[in-house]
Amino acid sequence: MKKDLLRILDLKDREILSLISSGSDWKRRGRKKNAPRPLAGKSLAMIFQKASTRTRVSFEAGMHRLGGHAIFMSPEDTQIGRGEPIRDTARVLSRYVDAVMIRTFAHTIATELAEAASVPVVNGLTDDHHPCQILADLMTAKEHGKDLRKMRVAFIGDGNNVANSWVEAAHVLGFRFIVACPPGYEPNAVIVKEAEAVGRGDVRIVRDPREAAENADVLYTDVWMSMGQESERKRRLAAFKDYRIDAELLRCASRSAIVMHCLPAHRGEEITEEVIEGPRSVVFDEAENRMHIQMAILEKLIKH
Ligand code: CP
Ligand code: NVA
């Protein structure tokens, strides 16, 4: 594997499959007292410039289960918030810890951190990518019997960071990925092009949610307003009003389709209460798998 995990395109198909298999091993071990502790004595610094529940707690608890230790850093109480350059932060942290996780705005902040850090850097979400989420989602889809090389995934809503990472995964693994979104809200065109260069998947963008959902094995959605887009609320509510996963849309999908959402969800906006609480929803499996897959990532990236 490369030194850093900043986007799905950093991984080869066999590396994704191997992380999923290792994540499943960690899941099976659960809380067993005699489980291995490969990261005993190791530390992870976690920089959060945006809010988080799952990413923060799953990385911290996962690091603890691996025998290591995690340090939470927010801009408010570190020098990051007072303008210390990210390159200096990277070089300082590299002298203390064995890996850094960052959740931030511009993806270039994460790449700059990774370039200056001598230790591995993991992307815990940027404006453009959310690789750990999609790895957990792939693990979840596999657990629910989906063929990661052949499945048909329909993404309904905003072509955001989560959608971009799905586009990359589709091309690396070779499955079909269809986004239904309003004009102007497509996945990032540069990322789509870069993923196409790997070129094994079948990625399409359509306008009609029913066309995307037709025979889908996975129906996926995410919020209409990502973190940092709160001021666009009015415009986005209008643009996305027909891009909701509801019971009617679910009927277009395959009979064995699962419904996924990275959470947090806004019931009544991108997904209905009935569907997210219904029998096809696997949203809490996805949330749980964040921890197991990240344990696999940390075990792989951090030098033992
Ligand atoms: N899905 C996800 O990344 O959740 P958090 O924002 O709570 O970390
Ligand atoms: N697209 C969302 C994902 C949150 C986990 C955001 O960036 O806010």
PDB file of all heavy atoms in Angstrom, residues 97-134:
ATOM      1  N   VAL A  97       3.970  11.071  16.823  1.00  0.00           N
ATOM      2  CA  VAL A  97       2.970  10.005  16.639  1.00  0.00           C
ATOM      3  C   VAL A  97       3.333   9.135  15.436  1.00  0.00           C
ATOM      4  O   VAL A  97       4.243   9.455  14.672  1.00  0.00           O
ATOM      5  CB  VAL A  97       1.548  10.593  16.448  1.00  0.00           C
ATOM      6  CG1 VAL A  97       1.137  11.419  17.653  1.00  0.00           C
ATOM      7  CG2 VAL A  97       1.442  11.408  15.167  1.00  0.00           C
ATOM      8  N   ASP A  98       2.580   8.041  15.273  1.00  0.00           N
ATOM      9  CA  ASP A  98       2.894   7.064  14.230  1.00  0.00           C
ATOM     10  C   ASP A  98       1.986   7.182  13.009  1.00  0.00           C
ATOM     11  O   ASP A  98       2.231   6.535  11.989  1.00  0.00           O
ATOM     12  CB  ASP A  98       2.797   5.665  14.842  1.00  0.00           C
ATOM     13  CG  ASP A  98       3.732   5.554  16.039  1.00  0.00           C
ATOM     14  OD1 ASP A  98       4.932   5.383  15.823  1.00  0.00           O
ATOM     15  OD2 ASP A  98       3.262   5.715  17.200  1.00  0.00           O
ATOM     16  N   ALA A  99       0.919   7.979  13.124  1.00  0.00           N
ATOM     17  CA  ALA A  99       0.027   8.251  11.984  1.00  0.00           C
ATOM     18  C   ALA A  99      -0.837   9.455  12.330  1.00  0.00           C
ATOM     19  O   ALA A  99      -1.003   9.786  13.510  1.00  0.00           O
ATOM     20  CB  ALA A  99      -0.854   7.046  11.681  1.00  0.00           C
ATOM     21  N   VAL A 100      -1.355  10.096  11.292  1.00  0.00           N
ATOM     22  CA  VAL A 100      -2.241  11.252  11.483  1.00  0.00           C
ATOM     23  C   VAL A 100      -3.511  11.015  10.678  1.00  0.00           C
ATOM     24  O   VAL A 100      -3.450  10.566   9.531  1.00  0.00           O
ATOM     25  CB  VAL A 100      -1.577  12.566  11.001  1.00  0.00           C
ATOM     26  CG1 VAL A 100      -2.497  13.762  11.220  1.00  0.00           C
ATOM     27  CG2 VAL A 100      -0.235  12.790  11.696  1.00  0.00           C
ATOM     28  N   MET A 101      -4.648  11.299  11.276  1.00  0.00           N
ATOM     29  CA  MET A 101      -5.919  11.292  10.556  1.00  0.00           C
ATOM     30  C   MET A 101      -6.399  12.737  10.482  1.00  0.00           C
ATOM     31  O   MET A 101      -6.263  13.465  11.460  1.00  0.00           O
ATOM     32  CB  MET A 101      -6.933  10.439  11.335  1.00  0.00           C
ATOM     33  CG  MET A 101      -8.211  10.166  10.601  1.00  0.00           C
ATOM     34  SD  MET A 101      -9.606  10.837  11.508  1.00  0.00           S
ATOM     35  CE  MET A 101      -9.554  12.515  11.063  1.00  0.00           C
ATOM     36  N   ILE A 102      -6.907  13.144   9.330  1.00  0.00           N
ATOM     37  CA  ILE A 102      -7.403  14.521   9.213  1.00  0.00           C
ATOM     38  C   ILE A 102      -8.788  14.566   8.585  1.00  0.00           C
ATOM     39  O   ILE A 102      -9.060  13.864   7.604  1.00  0.00           O
ATOM     40  CB  ILE A 102      -6.418  15.433   8.424  1.00  0.00           C
ATOM     41  CG1 ILE A 102      -6.953  16.879   8.387  1.00  0.00           C
ATOM     42  CG2 ILE A 102      -6.140  14.898   7.018  1.00  0.00           C
ATOM     43  CD1 ILE A 102      -5.943  17.931   8.018  1.00  0.00           C
ATOM     44  N   ARG A 103      -9.654  15.379   9.171  1.00  0.00           N
ATOM     45  CA  ARG A 103     -10.949  15.736   8.569  1.00  0.00           C
ATOM     46  C   ARG A 103     -10.906  17.237   8.364  1.00  0.00           C
ATOM     47  O   ARG A 103     -10.735  18.005   9.320  1.00  0.00           O
ATOM     48  CB  ARG A 103     -12.113  15.342   9.478  1.00  0.00           C
ATOM     49  CG  ARG A 103     -13.415  16.010   9.054  1.00  0.00           C
ATOM     50  CD  ARG A 103     -14.632  15.447   9.712  1.00  0.00           C
ATOM     51  NE  ARG A 103     -14.948  14.120   9.197  1.00  0.00           N
ATOM     52  CZ  ARG A 103     -16.137  13.538   9.337  1.00  0.00           C
ATOM     53  NH1 ARG A 103     -17.114  14.144   9.977  1.00  0.00           N
ATOM     54  NH2 ARG A 103     -16.345  12.329   8.836  1.00  0.00           N
ATOM     55  N   THR A 104     -11.053  17.655   7.101  1.00  0.00           N
ATOM     56  CA  THR A 104     -10.897  19.076   6.818  1.00  0.00           C
ATOM     57  C   THR A 104     -11.749  19.510   5.632  1.00  0.00           C
ATOM     58  O   THR A 104     -12.563  18.726   5.113  1.00  0.00           O
ATOM     59  CB  THR A 104      -9.391  19.408   6.597  1.00  0.00           C
ATOM     60  OG1 THR A 104      -9.232  20.823   6.536  1.00  0.00           O
ATOM     61  CG2 THR A 104      -8.838  18.770   5.332  1.00  0.00           C
ATOM     62  N   PHE A 105     -11.554  20.732   5.189  1.00  0.00           N
ATOM     63  CA  PHE A 105     -12.317  21.297   4.073  1.00  0.00           C
ATOM     64  C   PHE A 105     -11.614  20.945   2.758  1.00  0.00           C
ATOM     65  O   PHE A 105     -11.761  19.827   2.288  1.00  0.00           O
ATOM     66  CB  PHE A 105     -12.491  22.816   4.292  1.00  0.00           C
ATOM     67  CG  PHE A 105     -13.395  23.108   5.468  1.00  0.00           C
ATOM     68  CD1 PHE A 105     -12.902  23.193   6.765  1.00  0.00           C
ATOM     69  CD2 PHE A 105     -14.765  23.243   5.271  1.00  0.00           C
ATOM     70  CE1 PHE A 105     -13.759  23.434   7.845  1.00  0.00           C
ATOM     71  CE2 PHE A 105     -15.626  23.485   6.341  1.00  0.00           C
ATOM     72  CZ  PHE A 105     -15.118  23.580   7.625  1.00  0.00           C
ATOM     73  N   ALA A 106     -10.801  21.850   2.204  1.00  0.00           N
ATOM     74  CA  ALA A 106     -10.171  21.597   0.895  1.00  0.00           C
ATOM     75  C   ALA A 106      -9.318  20.322   0.940  1.00  0.00           C
ATOM     76  O   ALA A 106      -8.545  20.117   1.892  1.00  0.00           O
ATOM     77  CB  ALA A 106      -9.301  22.789   0.521  1.00  0.00           C
ATOM     78  N   HIS A 107      -9.433  19.512  -0.093  1.00  0.00           N
ATOM     79  CA  HIS A 107      -8.650  18.271  -0.131  1.00  0.00           C
ATOM     80  C   HIS A 107      -7.148  18.569  -0.151  1.00  0.00           C
ATOM     81  O   HIS A 107      -6.338  17.767   0.335  1.00  0.00           O
ATOM     82  CB  HIS A 107      -9.061  17.449  -1.368  1.00  0.00           C
ATOM     83  CG  HIS A 107      -8.458  16.091  -1.374  1.00  0.00           C
ATOM     84  ND1 HIS A 107      -8.832  15.102  -0.482  1.00  0.00           N
ATOM     85  CD2 HIS A 107      -7.463  15.552  -2.131  1.00  0.00           C
ATOM     86  CE1 HIS A 107      -8.103  14.024  -0.705  1.00  0.00           C
ATOM     87  NE2 HIS A 107      -7.273  14.264  -1.692  1.00  0.00           N
ATOM     88  N   THR A 108      -6.783  19.751  -0.692  1.00  0.00           N
ATOM     89  CA  THR A 108      -5.355  20.110  -0.758  1.00  0.00           C
ATOM     90  C   THR A 108      -4.740  20.251   0.643  1.00  0.00           C
ATOM     91  O   THR A 108      -3.533  20.073   0.800  1.00  0.00           O
ATOM     92  CB  THR A 108      -5.163  21.433  -1.531  1.00  0.00           C
ATOM     93  OG1 THR A 108      -6.074  22.394  -0.990  1.00  0.00           O
ATOM     94  CG2 THR A 108      -5.408  21.260  -3.017  1.00  0.00           C
ATOM     95  N   ILE A 109      -5.557  20.537   1.637  1.00  0.00           N
ATOM     96  CA  ILE A 109      -5.016  20.614   3.016  1.00  0.00           C
ATOM     97  C   ILE A 109      -4.525  19.220   3.430  1.00  0.00           C
ATOM     98  O   ILE A 109      -3.452  19.061   4.004  1.00  0.00           O
ATOM     99  CB  ILE A 109      -6.082  21.152   4.005  1.00  0.00           C
ATOM    100  CG1 ILE A 109      -6.513  22.571   3.599  1.00  0.00           C
ATOM    101  CG2 ILE A 109      -5.554  21.119   5.442  1.00  0.00           C
ATOM    102  CD1 ILE A 109      -7.673  23.139   4.419  1.00  0.00           C
ATOM    103  N   ALA A 110      -5.308  18.192   3.082  1.00  0.00           N
ATOM    104  CA  ALA A 110      -4.910  16.814   3.427  1.00  0.00           C
ATOM    105  C   ALA A 110      -3.679  16.385   2.627  1.00  0.00           C
ATOM    106  O   ALA A 110      -2.772  15.736   3.167  1.00  0.00           O
ATOM    107  CB  ALA A 110      -6.080  15.861   3.179  1.00  0.00           C
ATOM    108  N   THR A 111      -3.622  16.758   1.341  1.00  0.00           N
ATOM    109  CA  THR A 111      -2.459  16.346   0.533  1.00  0.00           C
ATOM    110  C   THR A 111      -1.192  17.085   1.005  1.00  0.00           C
ATOM    111  O   THR A 111      -0.117  16.496   1.071  1.00  0.00           O
ATOM    112  CB  THR A 111      -2.686  16.582  -0.978  1.00  0.00           C
ATOM    113  OG1 THR A 111      -3.080  17.932  -1.186  1.00  0.00           O
ATOM    114  CG2 THR A 111      -3.750  15.675  -1.544  1.00  0.00           C
ATOM    115  N   GLU A 112      -1.360  18.350   1.388  1.00  0.00           N
ATOM    116  CA  GLU A 112      -0.207  19.113   1.893  1.00  0.00           C
ATOM    117  C   GLU A 112       0.309  18.510   3.206  1.00  0.00           C
ATOM    118  O   GLU A 112       1.519  18.367   3.406  1.00  0.00           O
ATOM    119  CB  GLU A 112      -0.657  20.562   2.121  1.00  0.00           C
ATOM    120  CG  GLU A 112       0.466  21.573   2.068  1.00  0.00           C
ATOM    121  CD  GLU A 112      -0.043  22.986   2.320  1.00  0.00           C
ATOM    122  OE1 GLU A 112      -1.035  23.388   1.666  1.00  0.00           O
ATOM    123  OE2 GLU A 112       0.521  23.656   3.185  1.00  0.00           O
ATOM    124  N   LEU A 113      -0.632  18.126   4.050  1.00  0.00           N
ATOM    125  CA  LEU A 113      -0.258  17.479   5.323  1.00  0.00           C
ATOM    126  C   LEU A 113       0.515  16.193   5.044  1.00  0.00           C
ATOM    127  O   LEU A 113       1.568  15.928   5.633  1.00  0.00           O
ATOM    128  CB  LEU A 113      -1.528  17.173   6.131  1.00  0.00           C
ATOM    129  CG  LEU A 113      -1.331  16.449   7.456  1.00  0.00           C
ATOM    130  CD1 LEU A 113      -0.857  17.419   8.538  1.00  0.00           C
ATOM    131  CD2 LEU A 113      -2.626  15.788   7.930  1.00  0.00           C
ATOM    132  N   ALA A 114      -0.006  15.406   4.100  1.00  0.00           N
ATOM    133  CA  ALA A 114       0.609  14.105   3.795  1.00  0.00           C
ATOM    134  C   ALA A 114       2.005  14.275   3.202  1.00  0.00           C
ATOM    135  O   ALA A 114       2.926  13.517   3.523  1.00  0.00           O
ATOM    136  CB  ALA A 114      -0.291  13.326   2.841  1.00  0.00           C
ATOM    137  N   GLU A 115       2.165  15.288   2.351  1.00  0.00           N
ATOM    138  CA  GLU A 115       3.484  15.521   1.731  1.00  0.00           C
ATOM    139  C   GLU A 115       4.530  15.893   2.774  1.00  0.00           C
ATOM    140  O   GLU A 115       5.685  15.483   2.682  1.00  0.00           O
ATOM    141  CB  GLU A 115       3.390  16.651   0.696  1.00  0.00           C
ATOM    142  CG  GLU A 115       2.980  16.143  -0.673  1.00  0.00           C
ATOM    143  CD  GLU A 115       2.477  17.274  -1.562  1.00  0.00           C
ATOM    144  OE1 GLU A 115       2.887  18.428  -1.352  1.00  0.00           O
ATOM    145  OE2 GLU A 115       1.646  16.974  -2.450  1.00  0.00           O
ATOM    146  N   ALA A 116       4.106  16.685   3.759  1.00  0.00           N
ATOM    147  CA  ALA A 116       5.083  17.161   4.748  1.00  0.00           C
ATOM    148  C   ALA A 116       5.287  16.170   5.899  1.00  0.00           C
ATOM    149  O   ALA A 116       6.279  16.257   6.618  1.00  0.00           O
ATOM    150  CB  ALA A 116       4.633  18.508   5.295  1.00  0.00           C
ATOM    151  N   ALA A 117       4.347  15.238   6.085  1.00  0.00           N
ATOM    152  CA  ALA A 117       4.454  14.297   7.210  1.00  0.00           C
ATOM    153  C   ALA A 117       5.300  13.094   6.814  1.00  0.00           C
ATOM    154  O   ALA A 117       5.170  12.585   5.695  1.00  0.00           O
ATOM    155  CB  ALA A 117       3.052  13.832   7.625  1.00  0.00           C
ATOM    156  N   SER A 118       6.138  12.643   7.735  1.00  0.00           N
ATOM    157  CA  SER A 118       6.912  11.436   7.431  1.00  0.00           C
ATOM    158  C   SER A 118       6.136  10.187   7.855  1.00  0.00           C
ATOM    159  O   SER A 118       6.527   9.077   7.544  1.00  0.00           O
ATOM    160  CB  SER A 118       8.271  11.491   8.127  1.00  0.00           C
ATOM    161  OG  SER A 118       8.071  11.607   9.522  1.00  0.00           O
ATOM    162  N   VAL A 119       5.022  10.371   8.568  1.00  0.00           N
ATOM    163  CA  VAL A 119       4.190   9.231   8.981  1.00  0.00           C
ATOM    164  C   VAL A 119       2.948   9.174   8.083  1.00  0.00           C
ATOM    165  O   VAL A 119       2.611  10.167   7.429  1.00  0.00           O
ATOM    166  CB  VAL A 119       3.777   9.368  10.473  1.00  0.00           C
ATOM    167  CG1 VAL A 119       5.006   9.334  11.372  1.00  0.00           C
ATOM    168  CG2 VAL A 119       2.942  10.626  10.712  1.00  0.00           C
ATOM    169  N   PRO A 120       2.256   8.011   8.059  1.00  0.00           N
ATOM    170  CA  PRO A 120       1.056   7.894   7.206  1.00  0.00           C
ATOM    171  C   PRO A 120      -0.041   8.882   7.589  1.00  0.00           C
ATOM    172  O   PRO A 120      -0.223   9.178   8.767  1.00  0.00           O
ATOM    173  CB  PRO A 120       0.574   6.461   7.456  1.00  0.00           C
ATOM    174  CG  PRO A 120       1.706   5.747   8.093  1.00  0.00           C
ATOM    175  CD  PRO A 120       2.554   6.760   8.771  1.00  0.00           C
ATOM    176  N   VAL A 121      -0.748   9.363   6.580  1.00  0.00           N
ATOM    177  CA  VAL A 121      -1.896  10.256   6.791  1.00  0.00           C
ATOM    178  C   VAL A 121      -3.140   9.585   6.208  1.00  0.00           C
ATOM    179  O   VAL A 121      -3.117   9.079   5.081  1.00  0.00           O
ATOM    180  CB  VAL A 121      -1.656  11.639   6.143  1.00  0.00           C
ATOM    181  CG1 VAL A 121      -2.909  12.509   6.228  1.00  0.00           C
ATOM    182  CG2 VAL A 121      -0.484  12.347   6.832  1.00  0.00           C
ATOM    183  N   VAL A 122      -4.217   9.579   6.987  1.00  0.00           N
ATOM    184  CA  VAL A 122      -5.489   8.991   6.551  1.00  0.00           C
ATOM    185  C   VAL A 122      -6.527  10.102   6.459  1.00  0.00           C
ATOM    186  O   VAL A 122      -6.649  10.922   7.376  1.00  0.00           O
ATOM    187  CB  VAL A 122      -5.972   7.906   7.553  1.00  0.00           C
ATOM    188  CG1 VAL A 122      -7.282   7.284   7.086  1.00  0.00           C
ATOM    189  CG2 VAL A 122      -4.907   6.833   7.750  1.00  0.00           C
ATOM    190  N   ASN A 123      -7.254  10.112   5.360  1.00  0.00           N
ATOM    191  CA  ASN A 123      -8.307  11.111   5.141  1.00  0.00           C
ATOM    192  C   ASN A 123      -9.601  10.668   5.834  1.00  0.00           C
ATOM    193  O   ASN A 123     -10.212   9.677   5.446  1.00  0.00           O
ATOM    194  CB  ASN A 123      -8.524  11.265   3.627  1.00  0.00           C
ATOM    195  CG  ASN A 123      -9.640  12.223   3.283  1.00  0.00           C
ATOM    196  OD1 ASN A 123     -10.278  12.789   4.174  1.00  0.00           O
ATOM    197  ND2 ASN A 123      -9.870  12.414   1.998  1.00  0.00           N
ATOM    198  N   GLY A 124     -10.015  11.438   6.819  1.00  0.00           N
ATOM    199  CA  GLY A 124     -11.273  11.157   7.514  1.00  0.00           C
ATOM    200  C   GLY A 124     -12.413  12.003   6.981  1.00  0.00           C
ATOM    201  O   GLY A 124     -13.419  12.163   7.671  1.00  0.00           O
ATOM    202  N   LEU A 125     -12.302  12.528   5.790  1.00  0.00           N
ATOM    203  CA  LEU A 125     -13.285  13.316   5.021  1.00  0.00           C
ATOM    204  C   LEU A 125     -12.703  14.673   4.669  1.00  0.00           C
ATOM    205  O   LEU A 125     -12.173  15.383   5.528  1.00  0.00           O
ATOM    206  CB  LEU A 125     -14.614  13.524   5.788  1.00  0.00           C
ATOM    207  CG  LEU A 125     -15.735  14.308   5.077  1.00  0.00           C
ATOM    208  CD1 LEU A 125     -17.127  13.785   5.456  1.00  0.00           C
ATOM    209  CD2 LEU A 125     -15.652  15.794   5.380  1.00  0.00           C
ATOM    210  N   THR A 126     -12.787  14.983   3.389  1.00  0.00           N
ATOM    211  CA  THR A 126     -12.510  16.336   2.894  1.00  0.00           C
ATOM    212  C   THR A 126     -13.714  16.750   2.047  1.00  0.00           C
ATOM    213  O   THR A 126     -14.640  15.948   1.850  1.00  0.00           O
ATOM    214  CB  THR A 126     -11.235  16.375   2.017  1.00  0.00           C
ATOM    215  OG1 THR A 126     -11.430  15.505   0.889  1.00  0.00           O
ATOM    216  CG2 THR A 126      -9.999  15.938   2.786  1.00  0.00           C
ATOM    217  N   ASP A 127     -13.668  17.967   1.520  1.00  0.00           N
ATOM    218  CA  ASP A 127     -14.774  18.415   0.658  1.00  0.00           C
ATOM    219  C   ASP A 127     -14.939  17.478  -0.549  1.00  0.00           C
ATOM    220  O   ASP A 127     -16.024  17.407  -1.128  1.00  0.00           O
ATOM    221  CB  ASP A 127     -14.508  19.838   0.139  1.00  0.00           C
ATOM    222  CG  ASP A 127     -14.651  20.885   1.238  1.00  0.00           C
ATOM    223  OD1 ASP A 127     -15.190  20.563   2.316  1.00  0.00           O
ATOM    224  OD2 ASP A 127     -14.200  22.035   1.021  1.00  0.00           O
ATOM    225  N   ASP A 128     -13.871  16.800  -0.940  1.00  0.00           N
ATOM    226  CA  ASP A 128     -13.904  15.998  -2.172  1.00  0.00           C
ATOM    227  C   ASP A 128     -13.934  14.489  -1.990  1.00  0.00           C
ATOM    228  O   ASP A 128     -14.290  13.779  -2.938  1.00  0.00           O
ATOM    229  CB  ASP A 128     -12.674  16.328  -3.041  1.00  0.00           C
ATOM    230  CG  ASP A 128     -12.741  17.734  -3.613  1.00  0.00           C
ATOM    231  OD1 ASP A 128     -13.859  18.274  -3.704  1.00  0.00           O
ATOM    232  OD2 ASP A 128     -11.688  18.283  -3.950  1.00  0.00           O
ATOM    233  N   HIS A 129     -13.493  13.996  -0.852  1.00  0.00           N
ATOM    234  CA  HIS A 129     -13.365  12.536  -0.706  1.00  0.00           C
ATOM    235  C   HIS A 129     -13.747  12.078   0.701  1.00  0.00           C
ATOM    236  O   HIS A 129     -13.546  12.817   1.672  1.00  0.00           O
ATOM    237  CB  HIS A 129     -11.908  12.088  -0.940  1.00  0.00           C
ATOM    238  CG  HIS A 129     -11.385  12.393  -2.309  1.00  0.00           C
ATOM    239  ND1 HIS A 129     -11.565  11.553  -3.386  1.00  0.00           N
ATOM    240  CD2 HIS A 129     -10.676  13.460  -2.775  1.00  0.00           C
ATOM    241  CE1 HIS A 129     -10.985  12.086  -4.459  1.00  0.00           C
ATOM    242  NE2 HIS A 129     -10.445  13.247  -4.116  1.00  0.00           N
ATOM    243  N   HIS A 130     -14.228  10.821   0.784  1.00  0.00           N
ATOM    244  CA  HIS A 130     -14.483  10.195   2.095  1.00  0.00           C
ATOM    245  C   HIS A 130     -14.149   8.694   1.975  1.00  0.00           C
ATOM    246  O   HIS A 130     -15.031   7.843   2.047  1.00  0.00           O
ATOM    247  CB  HIS A 130     -15.944  10.419   2.497  1.00  0.00           C
ATOM    248  CG  HIS A 130     -16.213  10.232   3.965  1.00  0.00           C
ATOM    249  ND1 HIS A 130     -15.221   9.907   4.876  1.00  0.00           N
ATOM    250  CD2 HIS A 130     -17.372  10.304   4.685  1.00  0.00           C
ATOM    251  CE1 HIS A 130     -15.761   9.801   6.087  1.00  0.00           C
ATOM    252  NE2 HIS A 130     -17.054  10.047   5.990  1.00  0.00           N
ATOM    253  N   PRO A 131     -12.853   8.383   1.797  1.00  0.00           N
ATOM    254  CA  PRO A 131     -12.494   6.998   1.470  1.00  0.00           C
ATOM    255  C   PRO A 131     -12.818   5.973   2.555  1.00  0.00           C
ATOM    256  O   PRO A 131     -13.246   4.851   2.226  1.00  0.00           O
ATOM    257  CB  PRO A 131     -10.975   7.072   1.223  1.00  0.00           C
ATOM    258  CG  PRO A 131     -10.523   8.315   1.922  1.00  0.00           C
ATOM    259  CD  PRO A 131     -11.672   9.269   1.836  1.00  0.00           C
ATOM    260  N   CYS A 132     -12.625   6.335   3.834  1.00  0.00           N
ATOM    261  CA  CYS A 132     -12.882   5.346   4.902  1.00  0.00           C
ATOM    262  C   CYS A 132     -14.361   4.956   4.923  1.00  0.00           C
ATOM    263  O   CYS A 132     -14.706   3.803   5.184  1.00  0.00           O
ATOM    264  CB  CYS A 132     -12.473   5.908   6.263  1.00  0.00           C
ATOM    265  SG  CYS A 132     -10.711   6.209   6.375  1.00  0.00           S
ATOM    266  N   GLN A 133     -15.221   5.929   4.622  1.00  0.00           N
ATOM    267  CA  GLN A 133     -16.657   5.638   4.579  1.00  0.00           C
ATOM    268  C   GLN A 133     -16.979   4.611   3.496  1.00  0.00           C
ATOM    269  O   GLN A 133     -17.690   3.631   3.733  1.00  0.00           O
ATOM    270  CB  GLN A 133     -17.431   6.944   4.305  1.00  0.00           C
ATOM    271  CG  GLN A 133     -18.927   6.744   4.226  1.00  0.00           C
ATOM    272  CD  GLN A 133     -19.521   6.341   5.560  1.00  0.00           C
ATOM    273  OE1 GLN A 133     -19.282   7.004   6.558  1.00  0.00           O
ATOM    274  NE2 GLN A 133     -20.286   5.259   5.600  1.00  0.00           N
ATOM    275  N   ILE A 134     -16.417   4.828   2.328  1.00  0.00           N
ATOM    276  CA  ILE A 134     -16.758   3.941   1.207  1.00  0.00           C
ATOM    277  C   ILE A 134     -16.158   2.547   1.436  1.00  0.00           C
ATOM    278  O   ILE A 134     -16.764   1.535   1.081  1.00  0.00           O
ATOM    279  CB  ILE A 134     -16.347   4.574  -0.152  1.00  0.00           C
ATOM    280  CG1 ILE A 134     -17.470   5.486  -0.665  1.00  0.00           C
ATOM    281  CG2 ILE A 134     -16.118   3.528  -1.227  1.00  0.00           C
ATOM    282  CD1 ILE A 134     -18.007   6.516   0.208  1.00  0.00           C
TER     283      ILE A 134
END
